[in-house]
């Protein structure tokens, strides 16, 4: 659909007040677009977008994507869904609705407008993988009735909907499977390892590892991820994904904890707790497809990214201390 008079793209970002969404909005505005940020603020926060107050090309709308949305836009980025276990297990039914109903509503909007739509899927669709590293062809090993299923299966169903809308209605879709991402604007209490470890280390608390600490993850800095998302959106319409976006560098959780202690100069010790149910033992992306079709790969080293993230949390925790004083 071509809008009259204004030649700038108007872009909708659902979940735009979240960690990744707010960084994506910064880039989209920097490219000269108008951006409509939609978020119900369940896990997103106005703090992440407060620097955009007064920006004439930015608009915020408080809305839950499980309900239909009637707006006029040229592109859609669908990122709306709690993404950390602490948050998505808080209300598992609503988490599933956010993925499934949210996908239906945003795909319906894209169909009506004839516009391109991006889906933020997740490496969680691979479950506790028996293939390592994970390629896009791998169908996964997911428990459909476990405590993480609301997120894992919700995102898997959302992918199904995206490809069915593509086949049935020729909607121009782009699907990325996002692996562990970190950086400034992470929620300080989201339960993910990077934020957990940094907050514990800065507070002089023992760092909590679940299981033996030998399980592995890959960690992608948020700026690299956003670049991958934007490059995927710019590919030709025949390229739909799913495409893995993540850093193929693999670390054990213990190695990450040791890095955080070293970078913060903390005296924190390490304590061990039982591994949560269905927690994957390995998680690492094969990004061959992203390299080939988008010439994309991460450029920020883990040490560099962690240093930036530590600085963010130092400032955040100082502000929180002043407010509570």
């Amino acid at each position: 659909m071509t809008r009259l008079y204004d030649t700038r793209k108007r872009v909708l970002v659902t979940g735009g007040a979240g960690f990744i969404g707010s960084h994506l909005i910064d880039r989209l505005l920097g490219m000269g677009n108008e951006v409509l940020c939609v978020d119900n603020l369940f896990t997103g926060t106005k703090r992440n977008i407060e620097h955009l107050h007064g920006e004439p090309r930015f608009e915020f709308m408080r809305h839950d994507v499980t309900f239909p949305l009637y707006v006029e836009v040229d592109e859609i980025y669908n990122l709306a869904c709690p993404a950390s276990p602490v948050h998505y297990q808080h209300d598992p039914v609503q988490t599933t609705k956010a993925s499934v109903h949210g996908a239906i509503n945003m795909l319906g909007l894209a169909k009506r407008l004839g516009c391109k739509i991006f889906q933020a899927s997740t490496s969680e669709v691979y479950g506790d993988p028996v293939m390592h590293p994970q390629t896009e062809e791998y169908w996964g090993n997911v428990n459909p009735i476990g405590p993480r299923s609301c997120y894992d299966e919700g995102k898997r169903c959302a992918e199904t909907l995206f490809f069915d809308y593509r086949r049935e209605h020729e909607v121009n879709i782009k699907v990325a499977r996002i692996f562990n991402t970190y950086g400034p604007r992470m929620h300080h209490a989201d339960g993910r390892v990077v934020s957990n470890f940094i907050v514990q280390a800065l507070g002089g608390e023992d760092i909590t590892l679940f299981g033996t600490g030998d399980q592995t993850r890959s960690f992608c800095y948020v700026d690299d991820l956003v670049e991958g998302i934007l490059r995927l959106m710019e590919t030709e319409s025949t390229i739909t994904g799913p495409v893995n976006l993540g850093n193929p560098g693999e670390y054990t959780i213990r190695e990450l904890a040791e890095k955080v202690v070293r970078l913060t100069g903390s005296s924190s010790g390490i304590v061990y707790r039982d591994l949560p149910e269905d927690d994957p033992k390995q998680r690492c992306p094969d990004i061959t497809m992203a390299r080939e079709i988008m010439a994309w790969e991460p450029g920020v080293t883990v040490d560099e990214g962690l240093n930036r993230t530590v600085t963010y949390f130092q400032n955040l925790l100082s502000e929180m201390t002043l407010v509570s004083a």
Side-chain angles (χ1 to χ4, degrees):
M1 177 179 180
T2 302
R3 292 182 298 120
L4 300 176
Y5 309 122
D6 193 345
T7 59
R8 290 181 296 193
K9 276 197 301 189
R10 183 165 170 80
V11 182
L12 167 63
V13 180
T14 70
F19 160 49
I20 294 173
S22 62
H23 285 277
L24 176 61
I25 286 173
D26 285 347
R27 283 291 305 274
L28 289 167
L29 289 170
M31 295 161 63
N33 300 298
E34 295 181 3
V35 177
L36 171 60
C37 169
V38 167
D39 204 300
N40 68 355
L41 301 181
F42 174 62
T43 57
T45 170
K46 287 185 177 179
R47 175 192 171 86
N48 287 340
I49 53 174
E50 66 183 3
H51 62 288
L52 300 175
H53 181 70
E55 165 56 61
R57 290 181 289 108
F58 174 77
E59 180 182 356
F60 172 73
M61 178 188 297
R62 187 162 184 169
H63 178 84
D64 189 324
V65 296
T66 61
F67 297 95
L69 180 64
Y70 302 99
V71 295
E72 303 296 322
V73 294
D74 304 304
E75 284 184 355
I76 302 170
Y77 291 81
N78 186 38
L79 281 72
C81 186
S84 74
V86 168
H87 291 149
Y88 67 63
Q89 291 176 17
H90 174 74
D91 188 345
V93 172
Q94 189 62 25
T95 294
T96 303
K97 286 182 177 180
S99 286
V100 178
H101 292 187
I104 291 170
N105 288 329
M106 292 306 105
L107 284 162
L109 179 61
K111 176 190 170 187
R112 178 176 72 83
L113 297 175
C115 73
K116 189 187 310 182
I117 179 169
F118 168 87
Q119 168 65 6
S121 190
T122 172
S123 62
E124 296 292 335
V125 301
Y126 298 123
D128 190 4
V130 296
M131 171 185 283
H132 189 76
Q134 293 83 60
T135 68
E136 291 85 353
E137 290 75 22
Y138 177 51
W139 290 357
N141 177 38
V142 177
N143 177 0
I145 59 171
R148 301 170 67 101
S149 304
C150 57
Y151 185 68
D152 301 4
E153 296 288 28
K155 288 290 192 177
R156 284 163 70 93
C157 185
E159 285 196 16
T160 300
L161 287 162
F162 265 71
F163 281 88
D164 282 340
Y165 266 76
R166 168 76 173 185
R167 285 184 284 262
E168 188 171 343
H169 302 297
E170 299 183 347
V171 175
N172 187 356
I173 66 167
K174 306 290 180 182
V175 178
R177 291 175 176 165
I178 297 172
F179 283 68
N180 291 62
T181 302
Y182 70 100
R185 301 182 197 161
M186 295 184 80
H187 196 287
H188 71 280
D190 68 3
R192 286 185 272 199
V193 289
V194 172
S195 52
N196 266 9
F197 290 175
I198 292 175
V199 169
Q200 288 173 333
L202 291 175
E205 303 170 11
D206 286 336
I207 291 181
T208 307
L209 265 64
F210 293 95
T212 62
D214 293 323
Q215 62 269 42
T216 66
R217 296 292 186 272
S218 60
F219 300 100
C220 184
Y221 189 68
V222 64
D223 289 356
D224 284 332
L225 176 72
V226 168
E227 178 65 25
I229 291 172
L230 293 171
R231 290 195 190 191
L232 178 57
M233 271 299 253
E234 293 306 311
T235 57
E236 59 189 62
S237 61
T238 55
I239 296 174
T240 59
V243 176
N244 287 339
L245 292 180
N247 193 325
E250 190 174 8
Y251 296 87
T252 68
I253 299 301
R254 188 186 305 107
E255 287 174 330
L256 177 69
E258 291 167 351
K259 273 184 176 292
V260 169
V261 169
R262 185 179 71 253
L263 291 172
T264 57
S266 174
S267 58
S268 295
I270 295 178
V271 297
Y272 295 85
R273 299 285 183 267
D274 291 339
L275 192 68
E277 184 179 350
D278 295 332
D279 193 64
K281 311 300 185 299
Q282 294 177 310
R283 185 60 60 71
C284 182
D286 182 320
I287 62 168
T288 301
M289 184 182 296
R291 286 188 176 115
E292 290 179 350
I293 67 175
M294 307 184 312
W296 176 87
E297 62 183 327
V300 178
T301 67
V302 170
D303 280 5
E304 182 183 356
L306 285 175
N307 271 320
R308 297 179 193 176
T309 310
V310 166
T311 299
Y312 169 78
F313 277 110
Q314 285 172 330
N315 294 332
L316 176 65
L317 295 175
S318 294
E319 290 177 22
M320 292 172 63
T321 300
L322 289 173
V323 169
S324 63

